[in-house]
Amino acid sequence: MNASPQIEERARGGWGWLWRRLGGRSEAALAGPVERCVATAELLLAESSDGQAVHIATALSDMLAALSADEMALFLQRLASAFGPDHARLQAAVNDYLNQPDGASAAWIGAAAQMRAVELLRRLNMTPGATALIVALRAEMLRLGRSEAAVALLAEETRQLLSSWFNRGFLRAEKLDWQSPAAVLESIIRFESVHAIDDWDSLRRRLDGNRRCFAFFHPAMPGVPLIFIEVALTDGMSDRVGPILDGDDRNVPLDAPTHAMFYSINNCHRGLAGISLGDLLIKQVVLDLRTEFPSLKSFATLSPIPGFRTWLTEECRIGRVSDLPEALLDAPDLLHDGGAAGPLRDPLTLLCARYLSGRTANGGSATVSDPVGRFHLSNGARLERINWCADPSPKGVRESFGLMVNYRYVLDTIDANHRAFVGDGRVAISSGVAALLDPPSVSRRIARTSAWIKTAPRPTSRTTTPPASSRHCP
Amino acid sequence: MNASPQIEERARGGWGWLWRRLGGRSEAALAGPVERCVATAELLLAESSDGQAVHIATALSDMLAALSADEMALFLQRLASAFGPDHARLQAAVNDYLNQPDGASAAWIGAAAQMRAVELLRRLNMTPGATALIVALRAEMLRLGRSEAAVALLAEETRQLLSSWFNRGFLRAEKLDWQSPAAVLESIIRFESVHAIDDWDSLRRRLDGNRRCFAFFHPAMPGVPLIFIEVALTDGMSDRVGPILDGDDRNVPLDAPTHAMFYSINNCHRGLAGISLGDLLIKQVVLDLRTEFPSLKSFATLSPIPGFRTWLTEECRIGRVSDLPEALLDAPDLLHDGGAAGPLRDPLTLLCARYLSGRTANGGSATVSDPVGRFHLSNGARLERINWCADPSPKGVRESFGLMVNYRYVLDTIDANHRAFVGDGRVAISSGVAALLDPPSVSRRIARTSAWIKTAPRPTSRTTTPPASSRHCP
Amino acid sequence: MNASPQIEERARGGWGWLWRRLGGRSEAALAGPVERCVATAELLLAESSDGQAVHIATALSDMLAALSADEMALFLQRLASAFGPDHARLQAAVNDYLNQPDGASAAWIGAAAQMRAVELLRRLNMTPGATALIVALRAEMLRLGRSEAAVALLAEETRQLLSSWFNRGFLRAEKLDWQSPAAVLESIIRFESVHAIDDWDSLRRRLDGNRRCFAFFHPAMPGVPLIFIEVALTDGMSDRVGPILDGDDRNVPLDAPTHAMFYSINNCHRGLAGISLGDLLIKQVVLDLRTEFPSLKSFATLSPIPGFRTWLTEECRIGRVSDLPEALLDAPDLLHDGGAAGPLRDPLTLLCARYLSGRTANGGSATVSDPVGRFHLSNGARLERINWCADPSPKGVRESFGLMVNYRYVLDTIDANHRAFVGDGRVAISSGVAALLDPPSVSRRIARTSAWIKTAPRPTSRTTTPPASSRHCP
Amino acid sequence: MNASPQIEERARGGWGWLWRRLGGRSEAALAGPVERCVATAELLLAESSDGQAVHIATALSDMLAALSADEMALFLQRLASAFGPDHARLQAAVNDYLNQPDGASAAWIGAAAQMRAVELLRRLNMTPGATALIVALRAEMLRLGRSEAAVALLAEETRQLLSSWFNRGFLRAEKLDWQSPAAVLESIIRFESVHAIDDWDSLRRRLDGNRRCFAFFHPAMPGVPLIFIEVALTDGMSDRVGPILDGDDRNVPLDAPTHAMFYSINNCHRGLAGISLGDLLIKQVVLDLRTEFPSLKSFATLSPIPGFRTWLTEECRIGRVSDLPEALLDAPDLLHDGGAAGPLRDPLTLLCARYLSGRTANGGSATVSDPVGRFHLSNGARLERINWCADPSPKGVRESFGLMVNYRYVLDTIDANHRAFVGDGRVAISSGVAALLDPPSVSRRIARTSAWIKTAPRPTSRTTTPPASSRHCP
């Protein structure tokens, strides 16, 4: 039904009408594509007819889509600098407010303080397909915003606009499976960054049998997942990712799974950073799965620990973990070295528990810095269990010595956990993790291992190292 | 997929969790339903977890839906008075801005100036189905706002929120026909107010053959039309509504219609008043019909003139139309009186042309006050033709002596017409209408008719009056 | 996707190609529309290219749809007489078979024995939409077949063809509700003949709340229900139809209904008579409802008894029910006459039990003749309960003195009941019905009533009779 | 809606009910899976209740799906031998017919002559999903039928049943693209046998840009294509398959393609062999494409010539092509050898024209034996052009020395071409092909080449041979 107005325009002879509106100048007379976009943006803001605004928005949308990366950066800088609030108007509104500080004058201030760029984006969205473009523009704003404060401000204001548009009430949760359109599944392959999907066969293993995949969609971006989560239905809390990815247990009958393991969650659009999606998707999926499988008793993640090695390296450097020789940090291959690495298990697990629970060596408390950890803890999950040799892939070893962690979502405690974490920084932990945090025990075991490390024969050759792509521990 | 969180909550034992959150008080301890809604609204605004916010929004949504009309009014008053901006925060932001008036401080002001009620509505929308509720709340705000300024301000701020959500890019135009769900068609029957639909058979006559009906839908309100427009495909510009409604020509083959007549356009939600939908729908439908029927040459309305009699009565009263005896205005039945009413045709048509084109008796210009006229003229349509005896229904006679008007949408002039009207108040008129506005001619004809009126025998009995429900002129 | 080949043909200049194929004759040269159809039918049978056959089938389909009722009858007579089997070929095949009676010669006979008309209908079905046409043709065959044996034979052969096409595996059961297309719901209104639906409001009352409606559809007749069944979810076995139709209990919460009452089942196409649909739909609906409402314990009908009065009249006439005065049969109004009719309750109920269970006055067995009864009993249902004053509508009184019956489907006994009834004519009855069949009791009660009847004062005036449309007993 | 009856059965405790029906024997008491299937088949044929029949059909369907290949063969043999017609009944019907050979007795013969196995399959189809099973059974029948006449007869009777079910009116043509379900697209990869699809990227190249893919589906086999055709939209008649498969021209704008090239057509189910699908799909696609692209002037194939080399080898062997040295047939590599192979072009093209047009060396006529050729010619296509070096893949060289052929579908001549070919074996040829068939010219050029062949230096090493996978000619 929604034939693009642009077809209409083109049918009437291209964009002549637009150049005429732009002061009678021909396309060529305008300085260049960025200049044309800026002029068209001004026109769009000034247009009083909604019907006409749709046409101009369509033209601007097409022009923006045709910009090169450099031109786009230039355009966004112009947007940030020249489409701020109207300061004269704002100043007047402020004076009004100071004279009579009531609701009406406050509302007037609010309107005057708004960036013109935000209104521009709202109007740009009048043309079908513009929502995806605006999300892409914000991704670029975020990139540029790292070095340019004005663009960072624009990115933040755009976040608020998108946050209103990507409100939970407008999102649709959908189950993805082998009956889903190939175009959607291709996005899953493309955006899976936690545990890469090699090909369509691997993808299929994550969609059927006792695997599930759910995504949020927005009606203005049909066929484009916003965020997706992958789940394995099992009969116990998974402690290693290999069997999940290989689908070893895929044919286990689905009569009565007891555990739903969330093993991967991925955002598909950098432009939606800072907009709450993951928390909401997890909770929707918990509801959906509970309805489909009443036998489910436990919802937990099997999560990576992306910041562990970096943190540990730094802890060693500044002397907080004095006993652990740096040798360890240089010798990840030990982890692959069968029995030889065994002695490392205890100290690394203990240190990891400290890292993830925000405890210091002397039992004090610190901020949890692991991004995945912060996400699940602020969602109200509990730090449940740390798993040795759970992800022996090169990435897993590089990031966290192959360790992974289970966060568990217990419905009755989600709310309290969330508030304890967000309010006081307190991390909910299981008794198992609590046992790892007993200070003497930690120090003792680390000391023991250090001694071993110093005397242990280093592997003389890397030929014993298993293939880097191995997903299984020796 | 989207199982309501509320099901979940209830499964866990009702809203005990909510009362606990509300300070440990039991439901009974709270003063009453309005008090409970206000307390829950505060809780929702304070909630830091999105997952929890969904639960609270669901609870609040259910509570609001259960309020009586009086309670709802009370709640909205509380919203308007107690959920305004945080003035202390705004004052601080204003001071910052005065010290350093830049983009960042302006943004800070903008955030501080926002009504808390608007953020509340945004969060309320996290639960499925809340969008329709918010639209309904705004309808109530508008009603209350007539007498209470604070609620009127809230209604306006809510309009801005809804305007962002009901952005063209999020709307879906759909053709409605006999294959549409009965629930949707029932809405059409219910909301048609221009030319009432008596029953399902009448409805069907407006959906098939050479009739069309199009509506806008919003994805968060599935199955609920926002606005709809009814079209007759004909081979000439219709000059009376009877044949259209009776479907006399419905079976005329649709090989090559030349005219698309828009004969009814209706908004379905008072809560969306002030949000641009009609202009956009008309233009979408023009595009869709042009694609389906390349033979179409002319797009025009057959519109009522709701304000004509009121205007004319006032003109007479203040002596601007001195020659026309008030007798006329009291004797609408003359219109039904066959040949007898003939002499009225000319003067009424001339006066109507003056009314709709915003001309004064001496050729000066006035503001067009007819609401339907303002709508189409500001959309860029042209005042094309005034039709005598086009709607002889009681409503038609009562409002406009049975006159109706064609507004015509000519693609190439829509933009210029719109700007002339919005900018300078100039009305685009056809040569036919222009001929009616020649002052001497107007005065002359009115004078002639006045003379006639004075001497004309009044109908002695009303038995000659045709049935009031007649859609056809004698 | 399936653009009609006919569009194509017409684009190429109408059916000139067809008349050329028909021996170079012009359309006018052919004797008339029936003659043209017969000639085209021969052409279709002779065509060796499937692609061409589609074109011819489309042309024939259009021609047939344009025939008048008389012409259609003529065409079907031609089909029955001139499109029988090829007897020469069949004779040869018979000789072959007699020489060598094996599988191959039997197959050859089978092919030769087939009516050419059946192959014609199969080929006619190559054009989209023809299936509905063929069903309509069979309805006409059945009508004509009452007086013409050859057409009756054709109707039977067509039944076998349709039976293969309307195989259970090709049918789709669907729930109908207020979200269904208006065109489908209109069919429900039109084809409901057990308890007529007055208007769309009445229809809606049969679709939502604790009412359900299910239908079978065939993929080649999209949007056209084949048969539908109406169900009320209740908490007891309904004994009168008024509350069901009026929806008195529609708002009873659906937490845990215990009974599903099938109160109406209707075929939509006479042309599908003799093809098993009802039995299959009932059993599908039982499965679907059990899944949706695990609380359901009992599936039963509330059925009319269309043949009771006719049977009883005949029984009286031939003296088998000697004691019951014919007065009764002439005085149905007694039933409406409050207490006055009370004494009739027992004898009519007893006689009805006899009628429905296939028992004679002396305890012998007879054939069950009631068509609704035969349907449910052969489906394996049990004769459960006879309900006095269950349908006091004029139709109910006229057919069965207002009595209705519950047939109950008990899953574990359906199979045995079915076989007992189909094999030996034995009717499964509840203990309640069994009690009614005790011969002495029956005779005694009838005798008592007869005495009463003879002396009872007849109503002197019909002014006491309640409105004929009443659905409720006094 | 269509919850499987089998769920129901299992809910009631497995198949105990079935074994009870099978004479009270336990599952174990039956001789084995084949015996159980045969007994259940008899039960299904004997069942008088449709509701029960659905249950039995479901059980039989599950049992058959669980048979091993050997067991299935055994079962089909039993079906062919023990489920033939009832000869006693047939004999009686034959006698009736001989006594009174009319329509009724013929119908009676027809019914009696039917194989019981066919009725069994019809009843088996009462369970959802059985249609696909029956198609699979027929594939197996065809395989076994090569050596067993009784099974071949069963396969033929089953073909007639399927032919009625897969009637054009029941098929749905659909366009496949990147929005189609992955499960459907996977079938395309799997069943493409003309030009194999390597992976999903290759697949995508055949679905978008100026490529199209269409398939037939049957409603009882949702998501399972029956046959599909691949089309390239071009601006000239393609003479080599490489650019089509590589998608070299995929980004050519689709403003106005002039040619639709059908470059691959594949059946997906051996069990549907002998049922007309390809002809009908081609003609549907022609209609659909003409609607979408009015600029299309020519519909043609780029087809393989699978039988050419085999035919030519045989022609040489029996001396009909005496002058062409067998050396050629042994030296396909010459074709890859750049200029060196040039002299072969003329004679091979000429001989191929003879092969495809059914002409003998002396201008007489022979039967066209190429299966692809027979398919398109009987569909009414014209032999348009023979293309040298059109498919230099190993398969292309092996089958037809790299030659491919264009068959062209000209709407106005399809009917006449079809009838000339099917009736008299006459092949419609273009003037270009006619020129190749002039006998003296053919002999002369072949002679010239033979001389060249005899003296030409043979390639000394295969190192000059391009990679076998090459799709492009040197």
Side-chain angles (χ1 to χ4, degrees), chain A residues 65-365:
Chain A
L67 292 186
S68 71
D70 286 350
E71 290 165 349
M72 178 57 82
L74 220 54
F75 174 76
L76 292 175
Q77 284 157 342
R78 291 287 295 275
L79 218 53
S81 61
F83 287 76
D86 178 336
H87 283 285
R89 188 165 157 246
L90 179 53
Q91 196 77 48
V94 161
N95 290 340
D96 277 3
Y97 178 75
L98 292 175
N99 285 336
Q100 184 167 1
D102 60 9
S105 59
W108 177 234
I109 283 194
Q114 196 192 43
M115 285 190 80
R116 293 166 63 236
V118 171
E119 176 61 19
L120 176 71
L121 295 177
R122 200 177 282 124
R123 286 171 171 238
L124 183 59
N125 197 44
M126 294 179 84
T127 192
T131 311
L133 173 65
I134 294 168
V135 170
L137 291 180
R138 181 159 180 267
E140 195 58 17
M141 291 175 199
L142 287 171
R143 203 182 58 78
L144 291 172
R146 286 186 217 128
S147 52
E148 305 185 41
V151 181
L153 185 65
L154 175 62
E156 171 53 21
E157 298 287 293
T158 305
R159 187 191 66 74
Q160 289 179 29
L161 178 68
L162 291 175
S163 184
S164 179
W165 285 348
F166 287 80
N167 190 295
R168 177 64 186 92
F170 298 149
L171 303 181
R172 223 176 51 242
E174 280 192 20
K175 181 177 158 190
L176 301 182
D177 59 23
W178 202 233
Q179 294 301 325
S180 300
V184 170
L185 298 184
E186 192 182 35
S187 294
I188 301 304
I189 295 181
R190 182 171 161 211
F191 291 115
E192 165 60 86
S193 61
V194 181
H195 304 291
I197 300 176
D198 298 331
D199 52 27
W200 288 76
D201 286 340
S202 309
L203 170 65
R204 185 168 188 175
R205 278 201 299 273
R206 300 199 191 181
L207 298 179
D208 56 13
N210 40 23
R211 298 288 177 270
R212 291 290 181 279
C213 182
F214 298 87
F216 268 146
F217 289 84
H218 190 276
M221 293 167 69
V224 182
L226 306 181
I227 184 174
F228 60 92
I229 190 166
E230 297 164 64
V231 190
L233 299 168
T234 64
D235 54 3
M237 193 174 294
S238 302
D239 60 0
R240 46 189 60 199
V241 78
I244 289 179
L245 300 182
D246 295 347
D248 287 357
D249 58 349
R250 277 177 66 248
N251 297 320
V252 168
L254 267 176
D255 284 352
T258 56
H259 288 64
M261 301 302 306
F262 300 154
Y263 65 94
S264 185
I265 180 162
N266 295 274
N267 285 290
C268 304
H269 305 276
R270 277 176 301 124
L272 293 176
I275 291 166
S276 182
L277 296 172
D279 181 16
L280 296 170
L281 181 57
I282 288 176
K283 281 162 192 172
Q284 183 64 50
V285 168
V286 167
L287 288 178
D288 291 347
L289 288 175
R290 272 165 49 110
T291 303
E292 190 179 352
F293 300 102
S295 61
L296 285 175
K297 285 176 209 146
S298 186
F299 296 85
T301 73
L302 181 60
S303 300
I305 314 168
F308 181 41
R309 178 189 289 271
T310 305
W311 171 84
L312 188 52
T313 306
E314 177 66 8
E315 292 286 293
C316 290
R317 200 185 58 75
I318 63 178
R320 282 217 207 112
V321 183
S322 54
D323 295 331
L324 196 71
E326 282 188 40
L328 169 69
L329 306 176
D330 298 337
D333 295 337
L334 281 174
L335 294 172
H336 288 305
D337 207 13
L344 290 173
R345 177 177 183 149
D346 276 3
L348 281 178
T349 304
L350 296 170
L351 287 163
C352 189
R354 206 189 273 168
Y355 167 65
L356 290 176
S357 61
R359 302 293 175 88
T360 62
N362 53 12
S365 67

Side-chain angles (χ1 to χ4, degrees), chain C residues 312-373:
Chain C
L312 187 52
T313 306
E314 178 66 10
E315 292 286 294
C316 291
R317 198 186 59 75
I318 63 178
R320 282 216 206 113
V321 184
S322 53
D323 296 331
L324 197 71
E326 283 189 38
L328 170 69
L329 307 175
D330 297 338
D333 296 337
L334 283 174
L335 295 171
H336 288 307
D337 207 14
L344 291 174
R345 178 176 184 149
D346 276 3
L348 282 178
T349 304
L350 296 170
L351 287 163
C352 189
R354 208 189 271 168
Y355 168 64
L356 290 175
S357 61
R359 301 293 173 89
T360 61
N362 53 12
S365 68
T367 304
V368 176
S369 64
D370 191 76
V372 172

Side-chain angles (χ1 to χ4, degrees), chain A residues 1 8 21 48-51 87 97 109 122 125-126 164-165 167-169 276 279 287-288 290 415 418, chain B residues 1 8 21 48-51 87 97 109 122 125-126 164-165 167-169 173 276 279 287-288 415 418:
Chain A
M1 286 298 297
E8 166 65 15
R21 290 290 301 276
S48 56
S49 151
D50 283 313
H87 283 285
Y97 178 75
I109 283 194
R122 200 177 282 124
N125 197 44
M126 294 179 84
S164 179
W165 285 348
N167 190 295
R168 177 64 186 92
S276 182
D279 181 16
L287 288 178
D288 291 347
R290 272 165 49 110
D415 187 23
H418 157 75
Chain B
M1 288 295 298
E8 165 66 14
R21 289 291 300 278
S48 56
S49 152
D50 284 312
H87 284 285
Y97 179 74
I109 282 193
R122 201 177 281 123
N125 197 45
M126 294 178 84
S164 180
W165 285 348
N167 190 297
R168 177 66 186 93
S276 183
D279 181 16
L287 289 177
D288 290 348
D415 187 22
H418 158 75

